[in-house]
Structures are given as C-alpha cells and as structure tokens.
Amino acid sequence: DAKTTQPPSMDCAEGRAANLPCNHSTISGNEYVYWYRQIHSQGPQYIIHGLKNNETNEMASLIITEDRKSSTLILPHATLRDTAVYYCIVRVARSYGGSQGNLIFGKGTKLSVKP
Amino acid sequence: EAQVTQNPRYLITVTGKKLTVTCSQNMNHEYMSWYRQDPGLGLRQIYYSMNVEVTDKGDVPEGYKVSRKEKRNFPLILESPSPNQTSLYFCASSSRDGQETQYFGPGTRLLVL
C-alpha cells in the first residue's frame, strides 16, 4: 500500500497558486518525498523531490513540515496544462540502501485548473 | 533530446498470439522497468532491470518476460497474451544516482481480445 494520503481531487483557478497536500505520517528518516504527475494517460513526469528542506525548481516548490509528516506541492501560477493527477510518493533513495527503484503510486490528487 | 520511446503505441491482438513491446532510452541509464496501469489499481511494476543481463520481478510479473541484452533496450514480451493483460503499459528508466529521477515513456495501450 502507498505510504501517503492525498485528497482525491482539487480545483484551482488559472493563474492562481495550486497547493496540493500530502500526508506521510509514517515516513522514516531516510525516506524522500517525491512528486510526479500524469497528464491524461501520458507517462508520469517527475516534478520535484526533497528530504527535509524546502525545495524549488522551475516547475514547483515543495514545502515539507518540520516533523516531515506532511508536505505541500505548490504550483505558483497554475495553467490549464497543469491539469493532471499528482502523485506524492515516499521512498528510500538508493544511496541509503533503498530497494530497486519501484515507485509505489497511490491514487493521487486529480487537479483541475479552470479558466 | 533525452527520452524513453515505446513501440507500438497502440496494439490490438488476440489471445495467445505472442507479442513484444519495445522500450528504448538514450540517456545511458542503468535502471529500466515496466509498469502497467489499470483503472482503480494505479501503476504497478511488472519487471525491472538494474543493468545489462540483470533483471528481476516486480509486483505483477505473471504472464510477462523481459530481456536486457543492451543497455538502451528493455523489451516486454507477452508469450501468450490473455484478456486480463489488456492495459496501459509504461517503460521507465533512471540512472544509478541515489536520488535518481525516473523518466517514463509515452505508454503503450494494449487490447487483448
């Protein structure tokens, strides 16, 4: 079973920030939080990942709470092309002796960006 | 352009007729894997490969075979397809870095009649 809990769906107005929450209350100290998204039956696309500190890249920001039991993916200016299912995944990085790269995808959050 | 390609993208076949779905990556990645995606069940890993000639079962390997004779290619073989293998299939690859990102192909939609 996935180790994360996400709301099944969310709406966001175009141009506004989309904040997607994820609960991972059983996360271990050596587990990272990864976010992928899947746009309508296309291959999943990597967005961002982090361990403890907040992270930002050209696509999104990842805010991880201090106790690491939850995180939020932020799309700062959502567009219609950001409509997708967003998956929050917790896994051990291989450098920490993690298993082979099986990503366990839960049900994700279906984000609908509306004009 | 860094990419994972799959062929064919769409396939309709009949029960028992052997088929192969090809997967190729141009990023010199060691790790490659196959997933299938079904409504209500999400993405599940079928097989993976850590490097050339090194393969292992994922969560749902029954009815599938794979081979890894070259680093860039990782074909998925269905020796005797059955209707319960009707699904959307994705190939993925990544490097051996500790925090590797997985790159996914565009998907192959298979219908077994």
Side-chain angles (χ1 to χ4, degrees):
Chain A
D1 290 337
K3 298 180 181 180
T4 62
T5 304
Q6 299 177 252
S9 64
M10 291 182 65
D11 290 341
C12 178
E14 188 178 19
R16 304 296 294 268
N19 297 287
L20 292 92
C22 179
N23 284 322
H24 31 78
S25 59
T26 61
I27 192 170
S28 300
N30 60 357
E31 287 183 314
Y32 285 71
V33 179
Y34 285 78
W35 284 84
Y36 281 76
R37 74 180 182 183
Q38 186 175 23
I39 298 172
H40 187 56
S41 297
Q42 296 180 20
Q45 176 190 24
Y46 166 82
I47 302 173
I48 198 167
H49 74 278
L51 182 63
K52 295 181 186 178
N53 300 321
N54 298 339
E55 301 288 343
T56 296
N57 63 20
E58 64 278 5
M59 288 182 69
S61 294
L62 173 61
I63 308 298
I64 302 174
T65 58
E66 193 168 338
D67 63 7
R68 302 208 324 121
K69 293 186 177 182
S70 65
S71 60
T72 301
L73 177 75
I74 301 172
L75 307 179
H77 304 288
T79 70
L80 299 178
R81 288 177 295 180
D82 292 321
T83 292
V85 178
Y86 287 77
Y87 297 98
C88 170
I89 300 167
V90 167
R91 61 183 285 249
V92 181
R94 190 174 285 150
S95 62
Y96 289 97
S99 64
Q100 47 75 24
N102 185 11
L103 293 170
I104 300 177
F105 289 82
K107 296 189 186 304
T109 295
K110 183 175 174 57
L111 175 68
S112 298
V113 180
K114 300 182 183 301
Chain B
E1 179 190 354
Q3 60 181 354
V4 178
T5 57
Q6 296 178 224
N7 282 291
R9 296 289 313 280
Y10 303 91
L11 180 60
I12 300 174
T13 190
V14 295
T15 299
K17 186 176 181 181
K18 181 179 178 180
L19 66 92
T20 298
V21 184
T22 64
C23 173
S24 183
Q25 51 93 4
N26 63 0
M27 295 168 279
N28 202 36
H29 285 165
E30 289 83 4
Y31 178 91
M32 297 184 75
S33 69
W34 278 101
Y35 292 83
R36 62 177 288 174
Q37 185 172 29
D38 303 288
L41 296 176
L43 284 122
R44 295 176 292 167
Q45 191 183 55
I46 304 170
Y47 267 94
Y48 66 95
S49 169
M50 300 287 277
N51 214 325
V52 175
E53 302 292 1
V54 181
T55 64
D56 208 344
K57 297 177 181 179
D59 298 321
V60 289
E62 294 77 21
Y64 304 95
K65 285 176 57 177
V66 292
S67 69
R68 188 88 183 274
K69 294 183 170 51
E70 304 167 286
K71 197 171 187 180
R72 63 183 293 124
N73 297 323
F74 189 45
L76 179 70
I77 303 156
L78 285 71
E79 294 270 3
S80 182
S82 63
N84 65 12
Q85 292 178 298
T86 291
S87 187
L88 178 58
Y89 292 87
F90 292 103
C91 179
S93 75
S94 69
S95 69
R96 284 190 60 85
D97 295 338
Q99 299 177 30
E100 69 274 15
T101 296
Q102 290 205 20
Y103 295 85
F104 285 79
T108 295
R109 192 171 290 278
L110 172 65
L111 172 62
V112 183
L113 301 172

